[in-house]
Amino acid sequence: MNNVEEKKFSIGKAGVYALLILASLFALFPFYWMFVMATRPSAAYNSIPPVLLPGDQLVENFQNVIDKIPFFQSMLNTLIVCLAATIVVLFISSLAGFAFSKFRFPGRNGFFIAILLTMVIPPQLGLIPQYFLIAEFGLLDTLFAAMILFFLNPLGIFLMRQYINQSVPDELIEAAKLDGCSNFKIYRSVVLPIILPAFATLGIIVFTMVWGEFLWQFTVLRSPNSYTIQVALASLNSTTNIDFGMVMSGVFWSTVPLIVVFLLFNRLFISSIAEGAVK
Amino acid sequence: MRTSDKERKGISSGLSEKTKDRISAYLYISPFFIIFAVIGLYPALFSLYLAFQSWDGFSPMTFAGLQNFQIVLTDPLFWKSVYNTIIIGIMGTAPQIIVGIILAFLLNLAMLRWKHFFRVTIFMPYITSLVAVALIFSVFFSSNETALANYVLGLFGMDPINWKTSEWGTKIAISLMVFWRWVGYNTIIYLAGLQSIPNELYEAATIDGASKPQQLRFITVPLLKPFIILTVFFSTVGALQLFAEPTVFLGSSAFSRDEAMTVVMYLYRDAFNLQSFGTASATAIILLILIVVMAAVNTYLSSGMGRKRGKKA
């Protein structure tokens, strides 16, 4: 009797692992396949059965990418846009979060709700006027144009307020006030050091989001030298006679840095995304 | 000395301290509102205005009344784009929710080893950009008969499909890439939800004689409901805004074919390929209404899900 139950249980256990391994393979295969493609000549895609092992064209394919698009420039542009947007969002959000958490002022709840409500406006609604606004100021095709839309992050203010509520005691603020600190000094030397972990969380959310952004940058960036990597990669696929090896090489090398960072900080990454959505 | 000075000041001019705090507070929340006014609110209101104008971007605008809405709403391509968006949205996101709950349930099992490894691999697709995903899948689903996807179909004895030009081929390919990138993300959210359910609840249920499926039905699903509602809301809003995946997947033919044209692609094409900014703005307004209505309906449906689960499936 006991034996039967144990057997049943281990079959269930095997099923659990089988499902999870299947899900993992499904998740990982495109990554692996991208790598295989990045090492093969374009003709490899026409072979039957398909090639599933890496070839020897890793360098050649990447050389072709560099010949076609300013790869490193695009990566650098993306990095600048992502970092700038992240820093601005962290600053604006923590300052506003501090105000909403520790100050009493008329309209506090109203302003806070207004910020949350801006989340429901779809980004496409303002796309056309935003484009003309940027054009009006002569900012088309600049990195500033590529980043400015991402300075707005209602979720960031929400997360920062929550975090400050939980982790910065009112007494600490009072004590600093009695010591004669100005409000901004309190923000800088009392609040900021305490909320650094929340900066990591929000920073990852913003950085990943801006890194993957496409529609807006596709709209305002016009010349290859100001392309972010997403726009540059998309341009690889816009001709009719596509060198798949080259395209995959571009995708591969632009994804590798992100994979490395993700694997290094995977716990932080996963908890950030979960917190950002669940809070 | 300094401290007591300040203290005295604080007591004697308590009101000015309060005013100072108010000024600080308004100052600290102002950056968001200033930036929002310029790049959020103004463009949104201007879109509203532009939707009633006829404009090519250069010559002066002329008032068009409801003509833009009439043009869009009587354009078969617009309705095709709505249809495409909804079909891809359903095929790309509905399975995510079901698979996400199952995976989260498995990842939360106490006996499971290598939990963290599975969590990392299942989540990993989320870190790839939309463009990267679309390009990887555009090679996997290339228009060649020898595309890997067609090879796989061949293994099951099926005929090759042209994934870039056929009505269902494009939709399946795009839905699959949406599914692939987001299923791990939803899993992580459900997992966070599952972990917030206290173990004592299951223990108490076990003592009361509830079976595992009963526990899943009467503890897990009801308590997971807020998380399900959240992901349904996000998925609905995201699905209606689909743009990067089909645009990059189809490459040069993205705006000239209609199999996978989404509402945002239709809007983009009107504005930046055809310089018809009035109708594009009208489309943006219609899209906004569509998003609000569908998000409300889906959120409502999913919040009633716990009770009518059997019937809906």
Side-chain angles (χ1 to χ4, degrees):
Chain A
M1 189 67 195
N2 207 0
N3 254 348
V4 174
E5 278 225 345
E6 231 166 54
K7 219 175 212 168
K8 230 171 128 189
F9 184 58
S10 70
I11 289 172
K13 218 168 162 181
V16 168
Y17 282 104
L19 279 176
L20 285 175
I21 289 169
L22 200 71
S24 298
L25 286 178
F26 175 74
L28 292 182
F29 179 73
F31 287 103
Y32 173 72
W33 201 63
M34 160 179 81
F35 169 67
V36 171
M37 299 277 163
T39 63
R40 290 276 179 175
S42 210
Y45 310 113
N46 295 324
S47 63
I48 290 181
V51 286
L52 289 173
L53 289 173
D56 56 3
Q57 288 253 17
L58 188 68
V59 179
E60 287 91 330
N61 281 340
F62 188 57
Q63 190 60 51
N64 291 337
V65 173
I66 297 175
D67 290 344
K68 190 101 188 276
I69 57 170
F71 181 85
F72 294 106
Q73 180 72 48
S74 304
M75 287 292 271
L76 182 68
N77 291 345
T78 306
L79 195 65
I80 293 170
V81 168
C82 289
L83 282 179
T86 306
I87 291 168
V88 171
V89 168
L90 290 181
F91 180 68
I92 293 178
S93 305
S94 57
L95 208 53
F98 173 45
F100 281 120
S101 173
K102 299 297 174 201
F103 291 88
R104 307 261 165 273
F105 53 95
R108 187 170 77 141
N109 288 333
F111 281 120
F112 190 67
I113 291 167
I115 288 175
L116 295 186
L117 278 180
T118 64
M119 278 200 266
V120 302
I121 302 177
Q124 296 82 15
L125 179 63
L127 181 69
I128 293 160
Q130 281 159 347
Y131 170 82
F132 282 104
L133 198 66
I134 292 295
E136 193 67 32
F137 284 102
L139 290 169
L140 275 187
D141 214 22
T142 63
L143 291 184
F144 183 74
M147 68 179 75
I148 185 167
L149 276 201
F150 309 107
F151 291 172
L152 284 178
N153 197 311
L155 179 73
I157 296 179
F158 180 75
L159 287 179
M160 284 297 164
R161 189 192 77 141
Q162 295 285 94
Y163 196 84
I164 294 172
N165 272 344
Q166 285 165 10
S167 58
V168 184
D170 288 344
E171 295 78 37
L172 211 59
I173 308 281
E174 295 302 323
K177 269 196 176 152
L178 288 179
D179 279 350
C181 289
S182 70
N183 284 331
F184 192 75
K185 181 119 192 279
I186 295 175
Y187 163 76
R188 214 186 53 201
S189 38
V190 177
V191 176
L192 217 53
I194 300 178
I195 62 172
L196 282 181
F199 271 20
T201 300
L202 180 59
I204 283 175
I205 294 173
V206 177
F207 194 95
T208 323
M209 187 197 81
V210 180
W211 179 279
E213 164 56 33
F214 178 66
L215 171 61
W216 172 246
Q217 293 165 358
F218 182 63
T219 308
V220 291
L221 299 178
R222 291 297 154 94
S223 63
N225 273 323
S226 59
Y227 278 176
T228 53
I229 190 67
Q230 310 305 340
V231 183
L233 288 178
S235 74
L236 287 178
N237 200 28
S238 58
T239 49
T240 38
N241 208 354
I242 305 155
D243 177 353
F244 289 141
M246 176 197 67
V247 173
M248 281 301 102
S249 179
V251 174
F252 176 71
W253 289 110
S254 72
T255 308
V256 162
L258 219 57
I259 294 178
V260 171
V261 174
F262 170 68
L263 291 180
L264 285 177
F265 301 105
N266 60 69
R267 278 170 204 277
L268 192 61
F269 248 90
I270 294 178
S271 65
S272 298
I273 300 298
E275 256 172 68
V278 169
K279 269 278 158 72
Chain B
M1 192 66 189
R2 249 180 77 226
T3 314
S4 66
D5 264 353
K6 275 282 165 189
E7 258 177 54
R8 230 183 305 131
K9 225 172 148 191
I11 293 161
S12 64
S13 58
L15 219 134
S16 94
E17 185 73 22
K18 207 172 153 191
T19 319
K20 245 200 243 165
D21 276 0
R22 282 186 181 177
I23 293 171
S24 297
Y26 288 126
L27 216 59
Y28 296 168
I29 65 168
S30 62
F32 179 88
F33 287 101
I34 293 168
I35 300 176
F36 177 71
V38 179
I39 60 169
L41 187 63
Y42 166 73
L45 293 177
F46 198 81
S47 273
L48 214 59
Y49 171 78
L50 208 50
F52 298 95
Q53 307 289 322
S54 184
W55 193 38
D56 62 4
F58 300 99
S59 32
M61 295 175 198
T62 51
F63 182 71
L66 288 170
Q67 202 191 337
N68 290 327
F69 290 91
Q70 199 192 343
I71 293 171
V72 172
L73 292 173
T74 54
D75 182 357
L77 187 60
F78 169 76
W79 291 106
K80 184 74 170 64
S81 78
V82 173
Y83 168 79
N84 292 342
T85 309
I86 291 174
I87 294 289
I88 295 172
I90 293 171
M91 293 201 304
T93 63
Q96 267 183 53
I97 292 165
I98 297 157
V99 174
I101 292 174
I102 294 170
L103 288 177
F105 182 74
L106 297 180
L107 287 173
N108 198 41
L109 290 174
M111 60 77 165
L112 187 71
R113 300 180 64 189
W114 310 302
K115 233 174 230 186
H116 192 68
F117 168 79
F118 285 124
R119 219 163 38 164
V120 168
T121 51
I122 289 171
F123 181 72
M124 211 157 110
Y126 177 73
I127 64 158
T128 53
S129 67
L130 302 175
V131 173
V133 177
L135 287 173
I136 295 170
F137 279 77
S138 88
V139 180
F140 186 77
F141 290 103
S142 82
S143 49
N144 294 342
E145 271 192 22
T146 53
L148 190 53
N150 281 332
Y151 178 77
V152 174
L153 283 189
L155 293 179
F156 293 99
M158 284 186 264
D159 291 331
I161 290 177
N162 195 324
W163 301 99
K164 296 286 172 71
T165 53
S166 64
E167 179 68 28
W168 285 96
T170 47
K171 289 190 178 65
I172 289 168
I174 292 163
S175 304
L176 192 68
M177 67 181 92
V178 171
F179 176 81
W180 181 76
R181 184 170 187 265
W182 290 96
V183 70
Y185 175 88
N186 283 342
T187 304
I188 294 300
I189 293 177
Y190 296 141
L191 189 58
L194 288 178
Q195 284 165 346
S196 72
I197 300 175
N199 258 330
E200 293 82 58
L201 229 52
Y202 292 109
E203 279 161 20
T206 312
I207 292 168
D208 287 348
S211 67
K212 285 269 174 236
Q214 277 177 327
Q215 291 178 17
L216 182 73
R217 169 86 176 77
F218 293 107
I219 300 175
T220 312
V221 170
L223 288 175
L224 206 54
K225 215 157 91 176
F227 298 88
I228 296 172
I229 295 170
L230 181 88
T231 52
V232 166
F233 177 79
F234 279 156
S235 303
T236 308
V237 174
L240 289 170
Q241 297 177 355
L242 193 71
F243 176 79
E245 290 93 332
T247 305
V248 176
F249 178 70
L250 296 173
S252 52
S253 66
F255 295 103
S256 54
R257 304 193 59 94
D258 71 352
E259 291 88 0
M261 180 168 289
T262 62
V263 179
V264 180
M265 288 171 74
Y266 178 83
L267 184 163
Y268 188 93
R269 169 178 163 276
D270 254 11
F272 299 104
N273 291 358
L274 304 175
Q275 272 74 45
S276 174
F277 294 101
T279 56
S281 299
T283 308
I285 308 289
I286 298 169
L287 176 66
L288 173 69
I289 295 168
L290 208 60
I291 288 175
V292 171
V293 170
M294 304 256 308
V297 167
N298 284 353
T299 309
Y300 174 76
L301 286 180
S302 60
S303 52
M305 191 192 62
R307 266 166 287 130
K308 297 174 274 179
R309 234 172 123 247
K311 277 181 209 161
K312 266 198 74 192

